[in-house]
Amino acid sequence: MMKFAGLAARWFDSVEIIEMHHAGKVDAPSGTARRTAEVIADARIEAGMDVAGPDATATSLEGARGASVAGVPVHAVRLVGLVAHQEVLFGTAGETLTIRHDSLDRESFMPGVLLAVRSVRERPGLTVGIEDLLGL
């Protein structure tokens, strides 16, 4: 999802992230949302763009526009019944693009964990993210 968001980032004027997790999650926004915002910001900066895009909001309640992570607005939801969900919303004149990932059960994390564990011997040091393991 991060890779796709980074690719799309340069083609849209605006971007925001909404991440939604179970009520027991202690950090907000999630590490995944933070990293996604950084990937998007890097791509937009590389393309010579404003990171977040236009926003005419003149008044708002504190937190209503989310947190700014690397210049990208990120909104965090904590709710009983959720597991892990992230949505990246892009907008430009006359169109939007939504990239969304939903984990409906924690079992969905196991293939990535197994892939990482099986790759430990060939990858000394720290690996962040799964993109390299997937060949992306």
Side-chain angles (χ1 to χ4, degrees), residues 10-86:
R10 65 184 61 232
W11 304 108
F12 292 86
D13 295 328
S14 298
V15 60
E16 299 205 17
I17 298 170
I18 303 170
E19 61 93 347
M20 299 165 280
H21 286 84
H22 55 89
K25 185 158 182 60
V26 297
D27 61 330
S30 69
T32 299
R34 285 175 177 257
R35 183 67 189 130
T36 303
E38 292 165 355
V39 167
I40 290 168
D42 289 347
R44 292 172 74 81
I45 290 166
E46 184 179 310
M49 301 173 70
D50 179 44
V51 173
D55 180 359
T57 304
T59 63
S60 68
L61 295 175
E62 185 176 342
R65 294 290 296 123
S68 178
V69 179
V72 177
V74 179
H75 310 269
V77 175
R78 298 294 174 266
L79 191 69
V80 173
L82 296 174
V83 177
H85 313 265
Q86 180 167 283

